[in-house]
Amino acid sequence: MDTAGGPWTIFARRYDGSVDFFRTWKGYRNGFGYLLGEFWLGFENLRLLLAQDMLLRIEMEGWTTGLKYAEYSTFYISDEASKYALTIGGFSSPDGLFDALKYHNNRCFTTFDNVNSGFSRDCTTDAHGAWWYGACLDSNLFGMYKQEDDYNAMVWEYFYSTDTRYTAVRTVVMMLRKA
C-alpha cells in the first residue's frame, strides 16, 4: 500500500465485521481471516516483519467522520514465551488523536483462553476482544464491530475530543513500513 510515504505492509484490517476477532491464543499466534478482506496476519508472521526497524501506522475511520491516523516510531512485539508484550513509543497524530496505545505499552497480549492482564477482572470477556489489556483498556481495536460507543466495541479512547470516553470506530487498518 503506497499511502503516506509507503510502501506499507498491512497486518490487520477491519471494516465490516465479517470476521470475528474474539479468537483463541492460537488464532492470534497463527493469524486468521482473508488477506483481501478482514484479517489478522498473526504474531509469528508479524514478528518476522519486526526483525527490521519498523514504523507503525494505525488508520481509523469514525462512524461520523473521515479518516484519522496515529503513528508510532517505536513498535515491537516480544516472542510467545513473553506473551507477545507490546513496546510502542514516539506517538504522533496530525488529527489530534489521544495516544490510546500508551496505556497498553509493556503489557502482554490477552485472549479469552490465555489471560495475561494481571487484573482481577476478565477484560477479554467484558470488552469482547483480545488486546494488550491492563485494568482494562484505552483502546480495543480487536473488540466487537458495532456502531455504539461501548466498552466492548472496537474503540479508541477520545477518538472525537468532545465525545464519550469509549468511542467506537468503523474501520481500522494497522500497517508497517521501514523506519
Side-chain angles (χ1 to χ4, degrees):
M1 186 170 158
D2 290 329
T3 190
W8 294 89
T9 300
I10 297 172
F11 65 92
R13 179 175 32 232
R14 302 191 70 190
Y15 61 89
D16 66 4
S18 60
V19 173
D20 186 359
F21 273 59
F22 195 59
R23 299 284 179 127
T24 65
W25 184 264
K26 183 178 177 183
Y28 275 94
R29 179 181 60 227
N30 299 330
F32 53 84
Y34 179 58
L35 290 178
L36 298 177
E38 291 197 340
F39 75 97
W40 165 252
L41 188 62
F43 279 119
E44 292 307 307
N45 294 318
L46 179 57
R47 284 184 38 75
L48 293 173
L49 293 171
L50 292 175
Q52 305 173 55
D53 189 24
M54 302 295 268
L55 174 73
L56 169 66
R57 181 180 174 105
I58 304 173
E59 293 184 349
M60 298 167 282
E61 188 176 5
W63 288 92
T64 60
T65 63
L67 187 72
K68 294 184 177 192
Y69 73 90
E71 290 184 349
Y72 293 86
S73 59
T74 300
F75 178 61
Y76 179 75
I77 304 292
S78 71
D79 61 14
E80 185 173 16
S82 298
K83 308 293 185 193
Y84 300 122
L86 172 68
T87 302
I88 52 103
F91 170 79
S92 66
S93 174
D95 302 313
L97 285 175
F98 173 73
D99 183 359
L101 270 185
K102 182 178 181 178
Y103 172 77
H104 303 278
N105 192 30
N106 297 315
R107 301 209 186 269
C108 297
F109 198 76
T110 292
T111 60
F112 66 83
D113 65 337
N114 195 337
V115 176
N116 299 302
S117 65
F119 186 54
S120 60
R121 198 167 110 204
D122 181 4
C123 300
T124 60
T125 301
D126 292 349
H128 194 81
W131 199 243
W132 294 275
Y133 297 123
C136 273
L137 61 94
D138 282 357
S139 60
N140 187 33
L141 299 182
F142 298 158
M144 291 177 71
Y145 186 85
K146 63 183 194 175
Q147 188 171 352
E148 295 83 23
D149 292 342
D150 195 0
Y151 188 74
N152 63 9
M154 192 169 72
V155 297
W156 187 270
E157 191 171 47
Y158 305 116
F159 186 75
Y160 306 117
S161 61
T162 59
D163 219 356
T164 60
R165 182 172 179 193
Y166 295 110
T167 307
V169 295
R170 189 172 66 84
T171 67
V172 173
V173 177
M174 299 176 79
M175 60 187 101
L176 302 169
R177 77 168 166 82
K178 288 185 181 180

